[in-house]
Amino acid sequence: GESTVLLPRDDGNGRYDHLRFLTSEQALEDYVVLVTSLKREFNFSEEQAVIGFGGSYGGMLATWARLKYPHVFDGVIAGS
């Protein structure tokens, strides 16, 4: 598909309405790219675990990440 870059920009009312176009799937994919890039850049071995964590929405993302990408996230700690 075609991508559109929307930079964070306050509309004057303290809102960032364009963020409604982002999805949890996009957030998960961003985390996968970040984790795999960091593991490569810092020469992590496969024996080094990656543990995701978060609370509220971040906890949901961490849990979904573990379920969808078990080869990237070795565990999660999620709270609400």
Side-chain angles (χ1 to χ4, degrees), residues 18-38:
H18 61 281
L19 295 179
R20 71 182 183 276
F21 297 114
L22 300 178
T23 66
S24 57
E25 290 87 4
Q26 290 170 316
L28 291 178
E29 291 171 11
D30 287 346
Y31 285 128
V32 169
V33 169
L34 175 66
V35 168
T36 54
S37 296
L38 289 173

